[in-house]
Amino acid sequence: MLHMTFVRDSGNISREDTNVTVKGWVQDLRNLGGISFLTLRDRHGTIQITMPKKKIEPALFESLTRLSRESAIAVTGEVKESSQTALGVEIIPTSFELYSEAAVPLPMGVVDKVNVEMDTRLNNRFMDLRKQESKAVFGIRSLTVELISEAMAKKGFISINTPKIVASGAEGGATLFGVDYFGKQAYLAQSPQLYKQMLMSAGLDRVFEIGPAFRAEHSNTNRHVTEFISFDGEMAWIDRAEDVMAVIEDAIDHVLRGLKERGKNFLEIIGKEITIPKRPYPVLTYSECLTMVNNCGLPLKHGDDLGTEGEKIIGDIMAERGSDIYFITEYPEEAKPFYIMEKEGTDLSFSFDLDYKGQEISSGGQREHRYSELVGRMEKKGLDPEDFGSYLDAFRYGMPPHGGWGIGVDRLVMKILDLQNVREAILFPRDVNRLTP
Ligand code: ATP
């Protein structure tokens, strides 16, 4: 006798099988008097359990047809050819095991077509993820991470992990989460910034990390959470910020092409097609962007953040020009963190953002590798160099020119799949109102 879960995509159950055990959740039960049908669902799909009343032992018929939806069971039975089912087979049960009965009513439906509020979905995430469309997002996300690692390995980057409990922040004090570290003030890391830069002095040359970043974001937007996964990279011996941009472009291109090819099943379930952006990705300067938004009636001035509205306007214009994805360079140094290199003789910086479909997905740039200039930038930003002792040490004994980036994985997946909310791309999102589940 065969014993397995049913796997539709590899055609595990075939007409040649005679007796099988299948395991899954009771998705649906239809009792038509003389015959009943139970739809059993597992990770891959569904199979029909057909119960002609006359051919099934009465006690078995009774128990199976009384099951509550979403109960977890195993059914053993005979495989029969069927022209009525998608699999081409059905199972006539001979026995079953109830692993766990589902309570009634369900907190939300799994197959119903009704739209459920985001909060209900997230409050009942275990149930929401039983939906094939919800689950498929995480198939795409897993593949995205795999493809990022592949792209980085091809370019000689090594995967690293840096501390998430840290003594100082790199991205500004407002979004730091404090932690009591045995009586000392510590913080949750906002990014691996300081550590990945220190590794440039260590000669690791090309590193990347896919790990959590924490930001105490008080605003409730559809693209900010307080804990996100950042794909960070840093590379040494660069000549200019464009060297870094070229690596990101390659990585994003590899991810999108890979998803289109290897993520077909998931994309089909979600009902999404991926369009591969043309290369090279266009490059706009910050000042060109200001002109674009000013021309559309948004009165931003030099030094202002482009903001949600500005990013959206630029996204629409670029989409009309046939470009979903583009770099924005030369931000005013004032708008960028202390570690970014200034463009000498101007108030600009060697920084860039990468925007995709009208939203920022990445920031990066060339870093200030010269010790005294770096200390000068800290002071300019009102930071005390004393708080950055071990970071600064790495700059005192031969730091190569370097640059890097941070890309929000959650936001990348959100934009690839055109999800309305970044939370849909996170299993258990954390935000200002959400700490459970
Ligand atoms: P934004 O302007 O969108 O708030 P930021 O400029 O604060 O982003 P960076 O510090 O440049 O973000 O971080 C790099 C990338 O990390 C962003 O482009 C984004 O993809 C991701 N990211 C940053 N903050 C968040 C957040 N709170 N939630 C989800 N992703 C984030």
Side-chain angles (χ1 to χ4, degrees):
M1 194 219 286
L2 284 161
H3 184 91
M4 59 191 164
T5 54
F6 51 98
V7 181
R8 183 162 62 175
D9 43 11
S10 64
N12 238 357
I13 291 181
S14 73
R15 280 145 235 217
E16 283 75 52
D17 297 323
T18 48
N19 234 310
V20 291
T21 296
V22 288
K23 301 173 179 183
W25 289 274
V26 178
Q27 176 166 296
D28 190 33
L29 255 171
R30 279 169 300 144
N31 297 318
L32 306 180
I35 190 161
S36 293
F37 302 100
L38 185 158
T39 308
L40 193 68
R41 185 192 69 247
D42 80 352
R43 181 154 79 94
H44 301 276
T46 57
I47 193 164
Q48 180 171 290
I49 315 295
T50 304
M51 298 170 278
K53 198 167 183 177
K54 287 200 182 123
K55 293 194 183 154
I56 308 247
E57 198 195 310
L60 177 65
F61 183 87
E62 185 78 355
S63 322
L64 274 171
T65 51
R66 279 178 174 216
L67 285 170
S68 55
R69 282 200 297 154
E70 295 303 319
S71 294
I73 64 169
V75 177
T76 300
E78 211 183 317
V79 180
K80 278 259 151 67
E81 220 174 302
S82 159
S83 56
Q84 313 286 320
T85 68
L87 277 185
V89 293
E90 60 189 355
I91 291 172
I92 316 295
T94 48
S95 68
F96 96 107
E97 188 176 345
L98 175 59
Y99 292 128
S100 162
E101 191 167 14
V104 183
L106 297 171
M108 60 177 282
V110 173
V111 281
D112 322 359
K113 287 285 169 234
V114 286
N115 274 336
V116 182
E117 296 270 327
M118 181 64 66
D119 265 345
T120 309
R121 290 183 55 193
L122 295 178
N123 287 342
N124 302 285
R125 201 50 155 159
F126 67 93
M127 188 62 80
D128 175 56
L129 289 168
R130 290 189 195 179
K131 284 175 175 282
Q132 303 291 32
E133 318 83 88
S134 301
K135 210 186 334 266
V137 170
F138 295 91
I140 289 292
R141 188 180 161 122
S142 166
L143 204 45
T144 301
V145 170
E146 195 177 309
L147 287 158
I148 288 174
S149 301
E150 254 176 46
M152 289 293 94
K154 264 204 229 167
K155 294 203 166 291
F157 281 71
I158 62 160
S159 165
I160 57 160
N161 299 100
T162 58
K164 301 304 158 209
I165 305 174
V166 296
S168 49
E171 318 294 339
T175 63
L176 272 173
F177 276 119
V179 175
D180 173 7
Y181 195 69
F182 306 115
K184 280 198 205 116
Q185 177 68 61
Y187 306 97
L188 294 180
Q190 294 164 309
S191 76
Q193 187 64 36
L194 306 183
Y195 289 94
K196 61 179 187 167
Q197 283 193 263
M198 285 160 78
L199 293 175
M200 297 302 98
S201 177
L204 285 181
D205 279 11
R206 291 182 159 217
V207 299
F208 79 102
E209 175 167 5
I210 299 173
F214 304 91
R215 310 251 173 120
E217 304 272 4
H218 282 283
S219 54
N220 215 338
T221 76
N222 68 352
R223 62 178 206 285
H224 288 102
V225 280
T226 50
E227 177 178 348
F228 64 96
I229 297 299
S230 185
F231 157 37
D232 265 82
E234 202 70 24
M235 52 197 276
W237 312 110
I238 62 166
D239 293 319
R240 52 189 73 83
E242 282 74 8
D243 298 345
V244 180
M245 288 153 65
V247 169
I248 304 186
E249 185 172 320
D250 273 354
I252 298 283
D253 188 66
H254 182 77
V255 167
L256 295 179
R257 284 179 193 281
L259 288 178
K260 202 174 163 86
E261 229 179 87
R262 279 140 67 177
K264 264 200 193 101
N265 290 351
F266 299 126
L267 292 170
E268 237 172 68
I269 293 171
I270 301 166
K272 196 78 250 164
E273 267 186 42
I274 290 179
T275 316
I276 309 291
K278 283 196 294 281
R279 298 181 67 180
Y281 296 170
V283 179
L284 304 168
T285 62
Y286 167 81
S287 104
E288 283 167 342
C289 289
L290 275 191
T291 310
M292 285 158 83
V293 299
N294 287 163
N295 288 343
C296 290
L298 187 66
L300 294 182
K301 41 184 202 321
H302 187 78
D304 286 346
D305 187 27
L306 293 173
T308 315
E309 212 183 329
E311 283 177 11
K312 167 102 182 33
I313 291 174
I314 297 159
D316 291 344
I317 297 173
M318 292 308 285
E320 265 172 41
R321 294 184 192 167
S323 302
D324 262 355
I325 194 160
Y326 41 90
F327 288 102
I328 302 176
T329 57
E330 299 197 353
Y331 279 85
E333 62 79 14
E334 210 188 331
K336 289 290 170 182
F338 72 84
Y339 49 77
I340 284 285
M341 186 183 269
E342 293 181 12
K343 188 175 177 187
E344 253 166 46
T346 71
D347 66 350
L348 305 175
S349 62
F350 290 120
S351 58
F352 62 80
D353 278 4
L354 181 65
D355 282 31
Y356 185 29
K357 300 179 183 168
Q359 227 166 64
E360 179 201 316
I361 56 162
S362 174
S363 281
Q366 177 159 9
R367 320 303 191 188
E368 182 51 77
H369 63 278
R370 298 162 299 180
Y371 182 81
S372 34
E373 279 81 354
L374 183 58
V375 170
R377 266 192 73 72
M378 283 180 169
E379 285 164 349
K380 198 164 168 182
K381 299 264 168 198
L383 297 166
D384 184 355
E386 297 255 310
D387 292 341
F388 294 85
S390 51
Y391 167 72
L392 280 175
D393 281 349
F395 289 76
R396 292 179 61 210
Y397 305 96
M399 173 62 98
H402 63 278
W405 70 87
I407 298 182
V409 171
D410 325 84
R411 224 185 261 184
L412 177 63
V413 172
M414 170 196 185
K415 296 312 283 184
I416 291 173
L417 297 177
D418 295 313
L419 304 175
Q420 294 307 307
N421 196 316
V422 70
R423 291 163 182 77
E424 289 181 67
I426 303 174
L427 286 172
F428 298 105
R430 292 286 172 262
D431 63 29
V432 69
N433 298 312
R434 185 171 285 285
L435 192 53
T436 56

